[in-house]
Amino acid sequence: MEPNYRRCISCRQVAPKQALWRVVRVYPSRQVQLDRGEGRSAYLCPTEICLQAAQKKNRLGHALKTAVSPEIYQTLWKRLESPQVAANTTPHNQIRSDLESH
């Protein structure tokens, strides 16, 4: 995997770190938060399909090795509904073709 690329925990696609949402289990408090902090991280595509799978199958909880509160999922759903996210979302097939060109 190239530097600054991460893998979505739901669809397993590799994408630039900036194109994914970061969920962090902060060390040493074990508190789960979005975007910032040092500790164990999981990355998620900003798409409805990936968010549904992550929530339904507890993929964030498994990746972070801790319970993820419903508030985290609510915040992610709100982000997904934001018009700004919809404009900046890169479809999975576009990410794949970008990686193949490298």
Side-chain angles (χ1 to χ4, degrees):
M1 191 167 14
E2 294 185 35
N4 294 322
Y5 280 73
R6 299 294 184 266
R7 187 175 302 275
C8 172
I9 61 166
S10 284
C11 67
R12 310 294 295 156
Q13 289 290 320
V14 175
K17 191 164 65 169
Q18 298 81 7
L20 302 172
W21 287 330
R22 181 175 180 238
V23 184
V24 185
R25 184 192 74 197
V26 180
Y27 178 82
S29 70
R30 299 185 64 85
Q31 187 176 24
V32 177
Q33 62 187 33
L34 301 175
D35 304 323
R36 295 180 175 225
E38 293 183 21
R40 187 174 193 88
S41 299
Y43 291 84
L44 190 63
C45 291
T47 63
E48 183 177 345
I49 295 168
C50 289
L51 185 51
Q52 276 180 339
Q55 189 170 14
K56 183 177 181 181
K57 297 179 180 181
N58 192 30
R59 290 189 172 152
L60 281 175
H62 289 292
L64 298 173
K65 299 181 181 180
T66 192
V68 178
S69 71
E71 290 81 21
I72 295 292
Y73 287 110
Q74 287 175 351
T75 303
L76 290 172
W77 281 109
K78 286 179 185 174
R79 281 187 182 184
L80 190 60
E81 293 169 0
S82 154
Q84 187 178 32
V85 171
N88 293 333
T89 300
T90 305
H92 287 128
N93 49 359
Q94 178 64 39
I95 293 170
R96 188 177 299 124
S97 67
D98 288 349
L99 289 173
E100 290 170 356
S101 67
H102 286 272

